[in-house]
Amino acid sequence: MKLLYLTITLTLLSTALLAAESPVELLSANTDIQDKASLRRGAYLFINQCTSCHSAKYMRYARLARDLEISEEEVVDNMLRFGATKISDTISSAMTPDAGEKAYGIAPPDLTLEAKYRGVDWVYSYLMGFYKDEKTTFGYNNRVMNNVAMPWILASSQESMSEEEFSRDMRDLTNFMDYMAEPIKPWRQNFGKYVIIFLLVLLIPVWLLKREYWRDIHGLRSPTSV
Amino acid sequence: MSLLTRKSTDLLHWIDYRLPIIQAFKTHMSEYYAPKNLNFWYFFGVLAMLAFANQLLSGIWLTMFYTPTIESAFASIEYIMRDVESGWIIRYMHEVGASFFFIAVYLHIYRGFLYGSYKKPRELVWLIGMFIYLLMMAEGFFGYVLPFGNMSFWGAKVIMNIIGVIPVIGEDLQIWVQGDFFISGATLSRFFAFHVALVPIILIAGIYLHVIALHQVGSNNPEGIDIKAHKDENGIPLDGIPFHPYYTVHDLIPVVLFILAFFVTIFYFPDGGGFFIEPPNYIPANNLSTPDHITPVWYFTPFYAMLRAVTITFLGMDAKFWGLIVITGAILVLFFLPWLDRSPVKSLRYKGRVSKAFLMIWTFCFIGLGVLGIKPADWAPEWVSPTFTIIYFAYFLLMPFYTRWETCKTVPERITANGQRSR
C-alpha cells in the first residue's frame, strides 16, 4: 500500500517537473499588481500608446477610475478618446479592424485579455523584444514573435530613454494589462487570506467536535476473540 | 417542555404522518450503520456530493447572465467577470468547482479499486456510479464549449469529428448532434440546453440512486470485512456505528479542508495553472486560427492520449475510428469490473502480490496517459502511449486470471480494536 502511494507521488512529482518548459526564453515581468502607482502609469501608457490601434473592449473607464483611484474628472478630461464619451464606456481604438487589416495584413487584436492569453512574462518580453534587423522588410524584428506585424511604435521612446526607464515603463504597461485582463485580481489576492484564515479557524471547533463524538468509539472495546 | 419545542414536535409529527421524514432520517442517517474503520479514502463521496451541489447552485446563477449565442457567449462571460456584482466568484466557483468535482470523483472511484467496493453485493452501486461518471464527462464537455473561447471551439470540433468517423451513420449523427454542418449557433444553444437541463436532471437522479443502492447493502470498508455478518440481538452490526452523528461530524473536517483548498484555488490560482482554463480560451472562438496544440481539460486527457495512441489504419477503417473504439472500450471496461475481479477477497490489503503490482503499474500508466494527453503528440517517444494503453486494458482483461490464481491472505471475521487494520 505504501509503495502504491509512493508511486502516485513520484508520478505526480515528475509530471510537475516536466511541466516547466518553454520554447522561447522569456524575461521575467516581475510586476506587482498591488502597486497602484505602477498600474496608473501603465494605464496612461496603454491609453496614450496602444489605443491608436488596439481596443480593450471589455474594460470600462469607470472601473479603471474606481480601481486605480483616478478621479472621474481626470478620466473624462484626459483619458476618454476615440468615440468614448461617457465614463461607463469601454476602451475603444482609433483604428477599425478592417483598416488595421489593410495597413498591417492583420487586424490588431483586442488587448483586454492578452495578458491572460499570452501570460505576463510573454507580454513583457514582447514589449521589450523589438530589435533592429536588416534582414526584414521593415528593418526590425521581435524576439518572441518572429516577423512581427506590429510596427515598432515604441522605437522613438526606446531610443530617447535609458534602458532602465524604458523597462520600467514596459513593466508598468504589462502590469496594467495584467490588471485589465482580470480587474478583480488585486482585490481577490488581498481578500483571499481572510477567507483562508476563517476556514483555518473553523477547523478547530470542527476538529474538537469530531474528537468529542468519537471519544465513545475509541473507548469501545472490541471482542477479545479476534 | 416549552411551547416552541412542543409546537415544533407537533409539526414534525404532522409532516411525518403524511411524509415519512423521520423514518428516512433514521434509514439514511441515524440508523445507517457504517463500518467504524473508514479511512480518508471514504471522504471523497461526500466531497463529490458537495462539489455537485456547488455546481448546481453556481450554475443556476451563471444562467441568469450567460448568453448562449456565438455572437455574445464570450462577451457574456466577461460581463459576468466584470460587471455582474460578485459574478467573478460565481464563475470561478463553477469553473474551479468542475475540476474539484472531478478530482473528488476520480479519488472516489480509485477508492473502489483499492478496497474492491464494486464487488458483490455492491455491483449496482458501481454500475450507477460509472453511469454518473459517464454523464459527468458529457456535462464537462458541454460546459467547456459554452464560453466559446478558441479552445472551446476547437475542442468541440475534435470531439464532434470523432462522432463523424463512425461508419455509415457517423456523418449524419454528427450533423444531428451539432444541429448544423459545423459548430455553430445551433450547436452552442443545444449544448447549453444539455448542460443546464438534460444532463443535470439525469445526474441528480443518478446520484440519488447511487446513495439509495449503497444504503440498501451498506458501506464497504478498507478491510473488506462484511460487518453485517456479525450483528447484536437488535440486528445492529457489531462493527458498525451510526452514520449520524459519528460520520457527519467526522466528515466535517475533510469538508472544511476541501472548501479551504477550493478557495485557495479560487483566490490565488483560478485558472488552475492553465489546466482549468487553458490560455487559448482567453480569445474568442476563431475557425481560422487553430491553437498550437488542442488539448482537452485535464480530466479527459488520459482518454485523449489513448485516442491519439491509435495511428494505424486497419480493415480499411481510419485510425480515428479505432481510436474511438479504444476510448469507448476503455470506459466500457470499467462497467464490467465487478465481474472481472474473481478474487475471494475485496480489499487490496488481502489480495496477492500480482494484484498489488498490477494496480501500481496501472496507476502509473493512467496518470502517464493523462500527462501525455496534455503534451503535444511528439512529446514522448511513439511507443509510450500505445504501451500505456495496452497496460490499461491488460489490467482489466487479465484480472479474471490473476485474481483467481494468486494467493490471498485470510480476511479476519471482525474489525479489530479501534478500527485499526489487523496485522
Side-chain angles (χ1 to χ4, degrees), chain A residues 4-5 7 15 21 58 60 63 116-117 180-184 188-189 193 210 213-214 216-218 222-223, chain B residues 36 41 74 82-83 88 92 114 241 245-246 250 267-268 270-271 279 282 360 364 371 375 379 414 417-418:
Chain A
L4 183 77
Y5 294 150
T7 318
T15 312
E21 50 174 343
Y58 303 118
R60 288 185 205 286
R63 180 68 184 264
K116 283 267 193 191
Y117 173 50
M180 181 167 72
E182 196 197 347
I184 199 69
R188 72 164 158 80
Q189 287 188 346
K193 55 180 176 284
K210 186 251 162 184
Y213 270 98
W214 277 68
D216 23 313
I217 300 301
H218 290 304
S222 280
Chain B
K36 61 181 182 180
W41 283 103
F74 189 85
R82 290 155 195 273
D83 295 336
W88 66 275
Y92 279 158
L114 288 176
I241 49 174
Y246 295 107
H250 186 265
F267 281 102
Y268 296 99
D271 298 338
Y282 280 109
M360 202 146 45
F364 178 82
V371 176
K375 299 288 178 181
W379 177 73
R414 296 279 310 272
N418 299 339

Short mmCIF file of all heavy atoms in Angstrom, two decimals, chain A residues 4-5 7 15 21 58 60 63 116-117 180-184 188-189 193 210 213-214 216-218 222-223, chain B residues 36 41 74 82-83 88 92 114 241 245-246 250 267-268 270-271 279 282 360 364 371 375 379 414 417-418:
data_model
loop_
_atom_site.label_atom_id
_atom_site.label_comp_id
_atom_site.label_asym_id
_atom_site.label_seq_id
_atom_site.Cartn_x
_atom_site.Cartn_y
_atom_site.Cartn_z
N LEU A 4 2.39 1.89 -3.22
CA LEU A 4 1.42 2.43 -4.15
C LEU A 4 1.35 3.94 -4.04
O LEU A 4 1.40 4.67 -5.03
CB LEU A 4 0.05 1.82 -3.87
CG LEU A 4 -1.05 2.24 -4.83
CD1 LEU A 4 -0.91 1.49 -6.13
CD2 LEU A 4 -2.41 1.99 -4.22
N TYR A 5 1.27 4.43 -2.80
CA TYR A 5 1.20 5.88 -2.58
C TYR A 5 2.47 6.54 -3.07
O TYR A 5 2.45 7.62 -3.64
CB TYR A 5 0.98 6.19 -1.10
CG TYR A 5 -0.35 5.72 -0.58
CD1 TYR A 5 -0.52 5.35 0.74
CD2 TYR A 5 -1.46 5.67 -1.43
CE1 TYR A 5 -1.74 4.91 1.21
CE2 TYR A 5 -2.68 5.23 -0.97
CZ TYR A 5 -2.83 4.84 0.36
OH TYR A 5 -4.03 4.42 0.81
N THR A 7 4.39 5.51 -5.52
CA THR A 7 4.35 5.57 -6.98
C THR A 7 3.55 6.78 -7.44
O THR A 7 3.97 7.53 -8.31
CB THR A 7 3.67 4.30 -7.55
OG1 THR A 7 4.15 3.18 -6.83
CG2 THR A 7 3.95 4.16 -9.03
N THR A 15 5.71 14.68 -13.18
CA THR A 15 4.85 15.44 -14.07
C THR A 15 5.06 16.93 -13.86
O THR A 15 5.19 17.70 -14.80
CB THR A 15 3.38 15.11 -13.80
OG1 THR A 15 3.24 13.71 -13.74
CG2 THR A 15 2.49 15.68 -14.86
N GLU A 21 8.58 24.00 -19.00
CA GLU A 21 9.40 24.13 -20.20
C GLU A 21 8.76 25.14 -21.13
O GLU A 21 7.55 25.28 -21.18
CB GLU A 21 9.56 22.77 -20.89
CG GLU A 21 8.24 22.08 -21.08
CD GLU A 21 8.35 20.80 -21.89
OE1 GLU A 21 9.36 20.61 -22.56
OE2 GLU A 21 7.40 20.02 -21.87
N TYR A 58 -13.59 45.14 -23.36
CA TYR A 58 -14.31 44.71 -22.16
C TYR A 58 -13.96 45.57 -20.95
O TYR A 58 -14.49 45.37 -19.86
CB TYR A 58 -14.01 43.25 -21.84
CG TYR A 58 -14.33 42.31 -22.99
CD1 TYR A 58 -13.35 41.56 -23.60
CD2 TYR A 58 -15.64 42.21 -23.45
CE1 TYR A 58 -13.64 40.72 -24.66
CE2 TYR A 58 -15.94 41.37 -24.52
CZ TYR A 58 -14.94 40.63 -25.12
OH TYR A 58 -15.25 39.80 -26.17
N ARG A 60 -13.98 48.92 -18.87
CA ARG A 60 -14.68 50.20 -18.75
C ARG A 60 -13.80 51.24 -18.06
O ARG A 60 -13.11 50.93 -17.10
CB ARG A 60 -15.96 50.04 -17.94
CG ARG A 60 -17.04 49.31 -18.66
CD ARG A 60 -18.33 49.28 -17.85
NE ARG A 60 -19.12 48.13 -18.25
CZ ARG A 60 -19.80 48.06 -19.41
NH1 ARG A 60 -19.80 49.10 -20.23
NH2 ARG A 60 -20.47 46.98 -19.71
N ARG A 63 -14.53 51.55 -14.30
CA ARG A 63 -13.92 50.53 -13.46
C ARG A 63 -12.46 50.89 -13.17
O ARG A 63 -11.97 50.77 -12.04
CB ARG A 63 -13.99 49.18 -14.19
CG ARG A 63 -13.39 48.01 -13.45
CD ARG A 63 -14.25 47.72 -12.24
NE ARG A 63 -13.71 46.67 -11.39
CZ ARG A 63 -14.08 45.38 -11.46
NH1 ARG A 63 -14.98 45.00 -12.33
NH2 ARG A 63 -13.57 44.51 -10.64
N LYS A 116 -3.81 37.36 -20.12
CA LYS A 116 -4.27 36.02 -19.73
C LYS A 116 -3.97 35.02 -20.85
O LYS A 116 -3.66 33.87 -20.58
CB LYS A 116 -5.78 36.05 -19.49
CG LYS A 116 -6.18 36.66 -18.18
CD LYS A 116 -6.32 35.58 -17.13
CE LYS A 116 -7.01 36.10 -15.90
NZ LYS A 116 -6.90 35.15 -14.80
N TYR A 117 -4.13 35.48 -22.07
CA TYR A 117 -3.94 34.61 -23.22
C TYR A 117 -2.47 34.23 -23.39
O TYR A 117 -2.13 33.07 -23.59
CB TYR A 117 -4.50 35.31 -24.46
CG TYR A 117 -4.22 34.61 -25.77
CD1 TYR A 117 -4.51 33.26 -25.93
CD2 TYR A 117 -3.70 35.30 -26.86
CE1 TYR A 117 -4.25 32.62 -27.12
CE2 TYR A 117 -3.45 34.67 -28.06
CZ TYR A 117 -3.72 33.32 -28.19
OH TYR A 117 -3.48 32.69 -29.38
N MET A 180 -5.98 44.61 -16.31
CA MET A 180 -7.09 44.77 -17.24
C MET A 180 -7.71 43.42 -17.63
O MET A 180 -8.91 43.31 -17.83
CB MET A 180 -6.58 45.50 -18.48
CG MET A 180 -7.61 45.77 -19.54
SD MET A 180 -6.97 46.94 -20.73
CE MET A 180 -5.78 45.92 -21.60
N ALA A 181 -6.86 42.39 -17.74
CA ALA A 181 -7.34 41.07 -18.12
C ALA A 181 -8.26 40.49 -17.04
O ALA A 181 -9.11 39.65 -17.32
CB ALA A 181 -6.17 40.13 -18.36
N GLU A 182 -8.08 40.95 -15.81
CA GLU A 182 -8.94 40.47 -14.73
C GLU A 182 -8.96 41.53 -13.63
O GLU A 182 -8.22 41.44 -12.65
CB GLU A 182 -8.39 39.14 -14.17
CG GLU A 182 -9.39 38.40 -13.34
CD GLU A 182 -8.74 37.33 -12.47
OE1 GLU A 182 -7.55 37.01 -12.68
OE2 GLU A 182 -9.43 36.84 -11.56
N PRO A 183 -9.85 42.52 -13.76
CA PRO A 183 -9.82 43.66 -12.84
C PRO A 183 -9.99 43.28 -11.36
O PRO A 183 -9.58 44.02 -10.48
CB PRO A 183 -10.97 44.54 -13.30
CG PRO A 183 -11.21 44.14 -14.71
CD PRO A 183 -10.85 42.69 -14.81
N ILE A 184 -10.56 42.12 -11.10
CA ILE A 184 -10.78 41.74 -9.70
C ILE A 184 -9.50 41.16 -9.08
O ILE A 184 -9.41 41.00 -7.86
CB ILE A 184 -11.95 40.73 -9.59
CG1 ILE A 184 -12.53 40.65 -8.16
CG2 ILE A 184 -11.56 39.34 -10.04
CD1 ILE A 184 -13.25 41.89 -7.72
N ARG A 188 -8.99 40.17 -5.17
CA ARG A 188 -9.16 38.80 -4.71
C ARG A 188 -7.88 38.30 -4.03
O ARG A 188 -7.94 37.55 -3.06
CB ARG A 188 -9.60 37.87 -5.85
CG ARG A 188 -8.57 37.54 -6.90
CD ARG A 188 -8.97 36.32 -7.74
NE ARG A 188 -8.32 36.25 -9.02
CZ ARG A 188 -7.07 35.82 -9.23
NH1 ARG A 188 -6.34 35.45 -8.21
NH2 ARG A 188 -6.57 35.79 -10.44
N GLN A 189 -6.72 38.75 -4.53
CA GLN A 189 -5.47 38.31 -3.89
C GLN A 189 -5.34 38.88 -2.49
O GLN A 189 -4.79 38.24 -1.60
CB GLN A 189 -4.27 38.76 -4.73
CG GLN A 189 -4.15 37.95 -6.01
CD GLN A 189 -2.87 38.24 -6.77
OE1 GLN A 189 -2.20 39.22 -6.49
NE2 GLN A 189 -2.56 37.41 -7.74
N LYS A 193 -6.80 35.94 1.79
CA LYS A 193 -6.20 35.50 3.05
C LYS A 193 -7.21 35.46 4.19
O LYS A 193 -7.12 34.60 5.07
CB LYS A 193 -4.97 36.33 3.40
CG LYS A 193 -5.17 37.82 3.46
CD LYS A 193 -3.84 38.49 3.81
CE LYS A 193 -3.94 40.00 3.79
NZ LYS A 193 -3.95 40.55 2.42
N LYS A 210 -15.47 16.58 16.40
CA LYS A 210 -15.23 15.20 15.98
C LYS A 210 -14.60 14.40 17.12
O LYS A 210 -15.03 13.30 17.43
CB LYS A 210 -14.33 15.19 14.75
CG LYS A 210 -14.14 13.82 14.14
CD LYS A 210 -12.75 13.30 14.36
CE LYS A 210 -12.70 11.80 14.16
NZ LYS A 210 -11.40 11.23 14.45
N TYR A 213 -17.16 13.55 19.84
CA TYR A 213 -18.10 12.48 19.48
C TYR A 213 -17.42 11.12 19.41
O TYR A 213 -17.99 10.11 19.79
CB TYR A 213 -18.76 12.79 18.13
CG TYR A 213 -20.02 13.58 18.27
CD1 TYR A 213 -20.04 14.96 18.11
CD2 TYR A 213 -21.23 12.94 18.60
CE1 TYR A 213 -21.21 15.69 18.25
CE2 TYR A 213 -22.40 13.66 18.74
CZ TYR A 213 -22.38 15.03 18.57
OH TYR A 213 -23.55 15.73 18.71
N TRP A 214 -16.19 11.12 18.90
CA TRP A 214 -15.51 9.84 18.65
C TRP A 214 -14.88 9.26 19.89
O TRP A 214 -14.38 8.14 19.86
CB TRP A 214 -14.49 9.98 17.51
CG TRP A 214 -15.20 9.86 16.20
CD1 TRP A 214 -16.09 10.75 15.68
CD2 TRP A 214 -15.14 8.77 15.28
NE1 TRP A 214 -16.57 10.31 14.48
CE2 TRP A 214 -16.01 9.08 14.21
CE3 TRP A 214 -14.44 7.56 15.23
CZ2 TRP A 214 -16.20 8.23 13.11
CZ3 TRP A 214 -14.63 6.73 14.14
CH2 TRP A 214 -15.50 7.06 13.09
N ASP A 216 -16.34 8.09 22.43
CA ASP A 216 -17.01 6.82 22.80
C ASP A 216 -16.66 5.68 21.83
O ASP A 216 -16.66 4.53 22.22
CB ASP A 216 -18.53 6.96 22.94
CG ASP A 216 -19.11 8.11 22.18
OD1 ASP A 216 -18.54 9.21 22.29
OD2 ASP A 216 -20.11 7.91 21.49
N ILE A 217 -16.34 6.01 20.57
CA ILE A 217 -15.98 4.94 19.63
C ILE A 217 -14.62 4.36 20.00
O ILE A 217 -14.43 3.16 20.06
CB ILE A 217 -15.93 5.47 18.18
CG1 ILE A 217 -17.28 6.03 17.77
CG2 ILE A 217 -15.49 4.36 17.22
CD1 ILE A 217 -18.42 5.05 17.85
N HIS A 218 -13.66 5.25 20.24
CA HIS A 218 -12.33 4.76 20.58
C HIS A 218 -12.32 4.03 21.92
O HIS A 218 -11.52 3.14 22.15
CB HIS A 218 -11.32 5.91 20.58
CG HIS A 218 -11.05 6.40 19.19
ND1 HIS A 218 -10.63 5.57 18.20
CD2 HIS A 218 -11.20 7.63 18.63
CE1 HIS A 218 -10.51 6.27 17.07
NE2 HIS A 218 -10.86 7.51 17.31
N SER A 222 -13.25 -3.86 21.63
CA SER A 222 -13.63 -4.88 20.67
C SER A 222 -13.56 -6.24 21.33
O SER A 222 -12.84 -6.42 22.30
CB SER A 222 -12.68 -4.84 19.48
OG SER A 222 -13.06 -3.80 18.63
N PRO A 223 -14.30 -7.20 20.80
CA PRO A 223 -14.27 -8.53 21.40
C PRO A 223 -12.85 -9.10 21.38
O PRO A 223 -12.10 -8.89 20.43
CB PRO A 223 -15.17 -9.36 20.49
CG PRO A 223 -15.62 -8.47 19.41
CD PRO A 223 -15.20 -7.09 19.68
N LYS B 36 -16.82 1.03 11.38
CA LYS B 36 -16.17 2.06 12.20
C LYS B 36 -14.75 2.37 11.76
O LYS B 36 -14.10 3.24 12.31
CB LYS B 36 -16.18 1.62 13.67
CG LYS B 36 -15.42 0.33 13.92
CD LYS B 36 -15.50 -0.02 15.39
CE LYS B 36 -14.70 -1.28 15.67
NZ LYS B 36 -14.74 -1.67 17.08
N TRP B 41 -9.92 7.67 2.46
CA TRP B 41 -10.42 7.40 1.11
C TRP B 41 -11.94 7.48 1.06
O TRP B 41 -12.51 7.61 -0.02
CB TRP B 41 -9.97 6.01 0.66
CG TRP B 41 -8.53 5.96 0.23
CD1 TRP B 41 -7.49 5.46 0.94
CD2 TRP B 41 -7.98 6.44 -1.00
NE1 TRP B 41 -6.32 5.59 0.22
CE2 TRP B 41 -6.58 6.18 -0.97
CE3 TRP B 41 -8.52 7.06 -2.13
CZ2 TRP B 41 -5.73 6.53 -2.02
CZ3 TRP B 41 -7.67 7.39 -3.18
CH2 TRP B 41 -6.30 7.13 -3.11
N PHE B 74 -19.00 34.66 -25.48
CA PHE B 74 -17.69 35.03 -24.93
C PHE B 74 -17.79 36.35 -24.15
O PHE B 74 -17.30 36.47 -23.03
CB PHE B 74 -16.68 35.16 -26.07
CG PHE B 74 -15.25 35.32 -25.62
CD1 PHE B 74 -14.49 34.20 -25.32
CD2 PHE B 74 -14.69 36.58 -25.49
CE1 PHE B 74 -13.17 34.35 -24.89
CE2 PHE B 74 -13.37 36.73 -25.07
CZ PHE B 74 -12.61 35.62 -24.78
N ARG B 82 -16.83 41.06 -14.97
CA ARG B 82 -16.52 42.46 -14.73
C ARG B 82 -17.69 43.25 -14.20
O ARG B 82 -17.53 44.07 -13.29
CB ARG B 82 -16.05 43.12 -16.04
CG ARG B 82 -14.70 42.63 -16.48
CD ARG B 82 -14.51 42.77 -17.98
NE ARG B 82 -13.35 41.98 -18.38
CZ ARG B 82 -12.09 42.43 -18.36
NH1 ARG B 82 -11.84 43.68 -18.04
NH2 ARG B 82 -11.10 41.65 -18.69
N ASP B 83 -18.88 43.06 -14.77
CA ASP B 83 -19.99 43.96 -14.47
C ASP B 83 -21.00 43.38 -13.50
O ASP B 83 -21.68 44.13 -12.80
CB ASP B 83 -20.69 44.37 -15.77
CG ASP B 83 -19.78 45.18 -16.67
OD1 ASP B 83 -18.83 45.79 -16.13
OD2 ASP B 83 -19.98 45.19 -17.89
N TRP B 88 -17.71 37.36 -10.74
CA TRP B 88 -16.42 36.68 -10.89
C TRP B 88 -16.31 35.47 -9.98
O TRP B 88 -15.84 34.42 -10.40
CB TRP B 88 -15.27 37.66 -10.62
CG TRP B 88 -15.21 38.16 -9.20
CD1 TRP B 88 -15.91 39.19 -8.67
CD2 TRP B 88 -14.43 37.60 -8.14
NE1 TRP B 88 -15.62 39.32 -7.33
CE2 TRP B 88 -14.71 38.36 -6.99
CE3 TRP B 88 -13.52 36.55 -8.06
CZ2 TRP B 88 -14.12 38.10 -5.76
CZ3 TRP B 88 -12.93 36.29 -6.83
CH2 TRP B 88 -13.23 37.06 -5.69
N TYR B 92 -15.94 31.61 -11.04
CA TYR B 92 -14.78 30.81 -10.60
C TYR B 92 -15.22 29.60 -9.78
O TYR B 92 -14.61 28.53 -9.86
CB TYR B 92 -13.82 31.68 -9.78
CG TYR B 92 -12.88 32.53 -10.60
CD1 TYR B 92 -12.29 33.66 -10.06
CD2 TYR B 92 -12.57 32.20 -11.93
CE1 TYR B 92 -11.42 34.45 -10.81
CE2 TYR B 92 -11.72 32.97 -12.67
CZ TYR B 92 -11.14 34.09 -12.12
OH TYR B 92 -10.28 34.86 -12.86
N LEU B 114 -9.17 0.21 -4.82
CA LEU B 114 -8.32 -0.24 -3.71
C LEU B 114 -9.00 -1.28 -2.84
O LEU B 114 -8.40 -2.28 -2.48
CB LEU B 114 -7.93 0.96 -2.83
CG LEU B 114 -6.92 1.95 -3.40
CD1 LEU B 114 -6.75 3.11 -2.43
CD2 LEU B 114 -5.58 1.27 -3.65
N ILE B 241 -21.15 1.76 13.19
CA ILE B 241 -21.55 2.88 14.04
C ILE B 241 -22.52 3.73 13.25
O ILE B 241 -22.45 3.78 12.01
CB ILE B 241 -20.34 3.73 14.50
CG1 ILE B 241 -19.43 4.09 13.32
CG2 ILE B 241 -19.55 3.01 15.58
CD1 ILE B 241 -18.30 5.04 13.67
N PRO B 245 -24.49 10.54 14.54
CA PRO B 245 -23.64 11.72 14.35
C PRO B 245 -22.18 11.42 14.01
O PRO B 245 -21.45 12.34 13.69
CB PRO B 245 -23.71 12.39 15.71
CG PRO B 245 -23.78 11.22 16.66
CD PRO B 245 -24.57 10.16 15.95
N TYR B 246 -21.76 10.15 14.08
CA TYR B 246 -20.31 9.90 14.02
C TYR B 246 -19.67 10.34 12.71
O TYR B 246 -18.70 11.09 12.71
CB TYR B 246 -20.01 8.43 14.33
CG TYR B 246 -20.40 8.10 15.75
CD1 TYR B 246 -21.52 7.33 16.04
CD2 TYR B 246 -19.68 8.65 16.80
CE1 TYR B 246 -21.89 7.08 17.34
CE2 TYR B 246 -20.04 8.42 18.12
CZ TYR B 246 -21.16 7.62 18.38
OH TYR B 246 -21.52 7.40 19.67
N HIS B 250 -17.42 13.65 11.67
CA HIS B 250 -16.13 13.21 11.16
C HIS B 250 -15.86 13.83 9.78
O HIS B 250 -14.78 14.38 9.53
CB HIS B 250 -16.18 11.69 11.06
CG HIS B 250 -14.90 11.03 10.69
ND1 HIS B 250 -14.59 10.71 9.40
CD2 HIS B 250 -13.86 10.62 11.43
CE1 HIS B 250 -13.40 10.13 9.36
NE2 HIS B 250 -12.93 10.06 10.58
N PHE B 267 -9.03 32.02 -5.11
CA PHE B 267 -8.46 33.34 -4.86
C PHE B 267 -7.05 33.51 -5.41
O PHE B 267 -6.62 34.62 -5.68
CB PHE B 267 -8.47 33.65 -3.35
CG PHE B 267 -9.83 34.08 -2.86
CD1 PHE B 267 -10.66 33.20 -2.19
CD2 PHE B 267 -10.28 35.37 -3.11
CE1 PHE B 267 -11.91 33.60 -1.76
CE2 PHE B 267 -11.54 35.77 -2.69
CZ PHE B 267 -12.35 34.89 -2.01
N TYR B 268 -6.32 32.40 -5.56
CA TYR B 268 -4.93 32.54 -5.98
C TYR B 268 -4.56 31.85 -7.30
O TYR B 268 -3.64 32.29 -7.97
CB TYR B 268 -3.99 32.10 -4.85
CG TYR B 268 -4.15 33.00 -3.65
CD1 TYR B 268 -4.94 32.63 -2.56
CD2 TYR B 268 -3.56 34.27 -3.65
CE1 TYR B 268 -5.12 33.50 -1.50
CE2 TYR B 268 -3.73 35.13 -2.58
CZ TYR B 268 -4.51 34.74 -1.51
OH TYR B 268 -4.70 35.61 -0.46
N PRO B 270 -7.06 30.76 -10.00
CA PRO B 270 -8.37 30.41 -10.59
C PRO B 270 -8.28 29.74 -11.96
O PRO B 270 -9.19 29.04 -12.36
CB PRO B 270 -9.08 31.76 -10.70
CG PRO B 270 -8.01 32.78 -10.64
CD PRO B 270 -6.91 32.21 -9.81
N ASP B 271 -7.15 29.93 -12.66
CA ASP B 271 -7.01 29.24 -13.95
C ASP B 271 -6.47 27.83 -13.77
O ASP B 271 -6.29 27.10 -14.74
CB ASP B 271 -6.05 29.99 -14.88
CG ASP B 271 -6.55 31.38 -15.20
OD1 ASP B 271 -7.77 31.60 -15.08
OD2 ASP B 271 -5.72 32.24 -15.57
N PRO B 279 -5.11 28.71 -21.68
CA PRO B 279 -4.90 30.06 -22.20
C PRO B 279 -5.62 30.36 -23.52
O PRO B 279 -6.18 31.45 -23.66
CB PRO B 279 -3.38 30.16 -22.35
CG PRO B 279 -2.85 29.23 -21.31
CD PRO B 279 -3.83 28.11 -21.23
N TYR B 282 -8.86 32.30 -23.74
CA TYR B 282 -8.99 33.74 -23.49
C TYR B 282 -9.08 34.54 -24.78
O TYR B 282 -9.09 35.77 -24.74
CB TYR B 282 -7.83 34.24 -22.61
CG TYR B 282 -8.08 33.93 -21.15
CD1 TYR B 282 -7.36 32.97 -20.47
CD2 TYR B 282 -9.10 34.60 -20.46
CE1 TYR B 282 -7.61 32.68 -19.13
CE2 TYR B 282 -9.37 34.32 -19.14
CZ TYR B 282 -8.62 33.36 -18.48
OH TYR B 282 -8.90 33.08 -17.17
N MET B 360 -0.47 -0.94 -9.24
CA MET B 360 0.55 0.11 -9.18
C MET B 360 0.98 0.52 -10.59
O MET B 360 1.04 1.70 -10.90
CB MET B 360 1.75 -0.43 -8.39
CG MET B 360 2.62 0.62 -7.81
SD MET B 360 3.32 0.12 -6.24
CE MET B 360 3.87 -1.52 -6.50
N PHE B 364 0.30 4.13 -12.61
CA PHE B 364 1.36 4.86 -13.28
C PHE B 364 0.98 5.15 -14.74
O PHE B 364 1.12 6.27 -15.22
CB PHE B 364 2.67 4.06 -13.22
CG PHE B 364 3.81 4.73 -13.92
CD1 PHE B 364 4.53 5.73 -13.28
CD2 PHE B 364 4.16 4.36 -15.21
CE1 PHE B 364 5.57 6.37 -13.94
CE2 PHE B 364 5.21 4.99 -15.86
CZ PHE B 364 5.92 6.00 -15.23
N VAL B 371 -0.82 12.76 -18.58
CA VAL B 371 0.24 13.72 -18.91
C VAL B 371 0.44 13.77 -20.42
O VAL B 371 0.51 14.84 -21.02
CB VAL B 371 1.56 13.33 -18.21
CG1 VAL B 371 2.68 14.26 -18.62
CG2 VAL B 371 1.38 13.35 -16.70
N LYS B 375 0.34 16.97 -23.34
CA LYS B 375 1.51 17.36 -24.13
C LYS B 375 1.24 17.20 -25.62
O LYS B 375 0.37 16.43 -26.01
CB LYS B 375 2.69 16.47 -23.72
CG LYS B 375 3.07 16.60 -22.26
CD LYS B 375 3.73 17.92 -22.02
CE LYS B 375 4.08 18.09 -20.55
NZ LYS B 375 4.70 19.38 -20.30
N TRP B 379 5.74 14.70 -28.06
CA TRP B 379 6.48 15.00 -26.83
C TRP B 379 7.25 13.78 -26.31
O TRP B 379 8.38 13.90 -25.84
CB TRP B 379 5.51 15.51 -25.78
CG TRP B 379 6.12 15.79 -24.45
CD1 TRP B 379 6.93 16.84 -24.14
CD2 TRP B 379 5.98 15.03 -23.25
NE1 TRP B 379 7.29 16.78 -22.83
CE2 TRP B 379 6.73 15.69 -22.25
CE3 TRP B 379 5.29 13.85 -22.93
CZ2 TRP B 379 6.81 15.20 -20.95
CZ3 TRP B 379 5.38 13.38 -21.64
CH2 TRP B 379 6.13 14.05 -20.67
N ARG B 414 -13.77 -10.03 12.09
CA ARG B 414 -14.25 -8.77 12.68
C ARG B 414 -13.22 -7.66 12.48
O ARG B 414 -12.03 -7.93 12.29
CB ARG B 414 -14.47 -8.96 14.19
CG ARG B 414 -15.56 -9.98 14.57
CD ARG B 414 -16.93 -9.33 14.47
NE ARG B 414 -16.98 -8.06 15.17
CZ ARG B 414 -17.27 -7.92 16.45
NH1 ARG B 414 -17.54 -8.97 17.20
NH2 ARG B 414 -17.31 -6.72 17.00
N ALA B 417 -9.76 -3.86 17.25
CA ALA B 417 -9.91 -2.74 18.19
C ALA B 417 -9.55 -1.41 17.53
O ALA B 417 -8.60 -1.32 16.77
CB ALA B 417 -9.00 -2.98 19.39
N ASN B 418 -10.33 -0.41 17.84
CA ASN B 418 -10.12 0.96 17.36
C ASN B 418 -10.18 1.07 15.83
O ASN B 418 -9.77 2.07 15.27
CB ASN B 418 -8.77 1.51 17.83
CG ASN B 418 -8.69 1.58 19.33
OD1 ASN B 418 -9.73 1.57 20.00
ND2 ASN B 418 -7.50 1.59 19.85
#
